[in-house]
Amino acid sequence: MRILAIETSCDDTGAAVVLNGRKILSNIVSSQNSIHQKYGGVVPELASRRHIEMIVPIVTEALKGANLALKEIDGIAVTQGPGLVGSLLIGLSFAKSIAFATGKPFVGVNHVEGHISAIFLEKNPPRFPFIGLVVSGGHTSLFRVDGFGKYKRIGQTRDDAAGEAFDKVAKLLGLGYPGGPIIDELSKKGNPKSIRFPRPSLSKNSLDFSFSGLKTAVVNYVKSHPEPRGGYSEELVRDIVSSFQEAVIDVLVKKTIRAALDQKLKRIVLSGGVAANHHLRKRMKDTAHEEKLSVYIPSPVFCTDNAAMIGVVGYEYLKRGFRSPLSLNAFSNLPL
Ligand code: KG4
Ligand code: ZN
């Protein structure tokens, strides 16, 4: 089954062709970073407008990359939510139009299920059940995953998502957007132990997260250490961001390992843009190893938003005979 998948939930226009939900025939992502950079975050109206401009060229490029004509596609999968509704509507309307014009089967996909399922694009994917940590710009959630479509949420953020915290701290320090990859890179030479930021863990047994207090601690640190003329030294910036990153990682690793032990599961899957973070990948693997748990993390390109992961989920549903109606709507909030 060759699935054409489309993803426009936020600020990346993505299209992919995936064979049998596992093999990528093409995977094209057009980033809007240069558009949103100067605002330090995604401007929804600009994102929708750019999706409109890019959707036809990107889908065309994905088909061309797979060396297939539209009529050779067996089904269409598209992100239905959660995300920015204006952005979602571009991909969804476009996918529905193709489905209507060609009569191909069509299915709407939950973006978070896409992130969790990105691991099936890799060579040795895990068996079910596993603990899934989704860490992105919009989500920080822990799931018990018993199969496609079988999710039990066991933890979530009460305020900011982890990626959002990275982006806000980068913005505060004037480092650019998106903040995650910039902080990741700067931290390689920083001292993560130089500043002791709080590790918000809520109550003792809670698997929920909270990052807004940590973000405020960074704001307070910056306020109490006014920038000298000419700005902070590179060394201090590196130390601030690597200390912040260390605090985020400590909490993510601790709660994910606890979730696996609580649920008596041996496998952990990381996903979402923040799972591209080098330090998080290493720390999660090392700590899990000590607890005799296995960690599975998609390649960085499948952690950040992409359409191939939507193709994985779309295949699973279309294969089971599930079809979405052409009246399908987009939702900014779409629980898994
Ligand atoms: O999954 P994603 O591409 O989009 C959403 O669904 O939100 O995640 C984007 C988020 C942004 O907040 C970005 O700063 C963060 O993922 N991110 C990273 C890294 N790469 C992307 N955070 C930390 N380290 C990275 N290397
Ligand atoms: Zn995402």
Side-chain angles (χ1 to χ4, degrees), residues 111 115 136 305 309:
H111 181 77
H115 273 306
S136 70
D305 285 350
M309 66 186 195

Side-chain angles (χ1 to χ4, degrees), residues 75-283:
I76 297 152
V78 63
T79 308
Q80 183 202 355
L84 299 170
V85 89
S87 289
L88 288 163
L89 279 171
I90 311 302
L92 180 63
S93 312
F94 190 74
K96 289 199 287 190
S97 317
I98 300 180
F100 180 66
T102 60
K104 307 275 181 196
F106 155 78
V107 68
V109 170
N110 184 303
H111 181 77
V112 175
E113 185 167 17
H115 273 306
I116 295 173
S117 307
I119 195 64
F120 294 100
L121 293 164
E122 299 293 349
K123 268 206 190 82
N124 294 306
R127 279 182 293 117
F128 294 111
F130 55 76
I131 290 293
L133 172 70
V134 184
V135 259
S136 70
H139 306 271
T140 303
S141 303
L142 277 165
F143 294 93
R144 180 194 164 96
V145 183
D146 284 290
F148 287 102
K150 293 182 186 156
Y151 305 94
K152 184 174 174 219
R153 196 173 61 201
I154 54 177
Q156 64 178 320
T157 182
R158 303 231 182 128
D159 39 61
D160 291 352
E164 198 179 348
F166 272 94
D167 295 340
K168 286 179 177 170
V169 165
K171 186 175 179 180
L172 173 77
L173 295 168
L175 301 176
Y177 173 85
I182 299 168
I183 290 179
D184 188 351
E185 192 53 39
L186 286 172
S187 297
K188 287 180 183 161
K189 288 191 189 144
N191 174 6
K193 304 214 179 326
S194 56
I195 306 158
R196 179 75 192 172
F197 288 125
R199 270 76 173 151
S201 74
L202 304 164
S203 67
K204 191 164 165 278
N205 295 320
S206 173
L207 291 176
D208 282 351
F209 301 92
S210 164
F211 292 109
S212 78
L214 171 58
K215 178 191 66 193
T216 308
V218 180
V219 171
N220 290 340
Y221 181 89
V222 168
K223 275 193 192 150
S224 58
H225 295 77
E227 271 189 61
R229 222 179 238 264
Y232 288 139
S233 68
E234 266 182 41
E235 191 189 350
L236 179 58
V237 170
R238 285 201 198 106
D239 286 350
I240 297 173
V241 296
S242 61
S243 299
F244 155 78
Q245 178 180 270
E246 185 83 349
V248 175
I249 292 176
D250 274 357
V251 177
L252 292 175
V253 171
K254 188 171 145 202
K255 299 220 172 197
T256 306
I257 302 284
R258 169 132 36 85
L261 298 175
D262 281 2
Q263 296 283 327
K264 300 189 173 37
L265 296 181
K266 289 274 170 216
R267 291 174 292 273
I268 291 170
V269 173
L270 253 57
S271 63
V274 181
N277 185 280
H278 290 85
H279 314 261
L280 172 62
R281 295 168 81 93
K282 181 167 183 337
R283 277 279 304 286

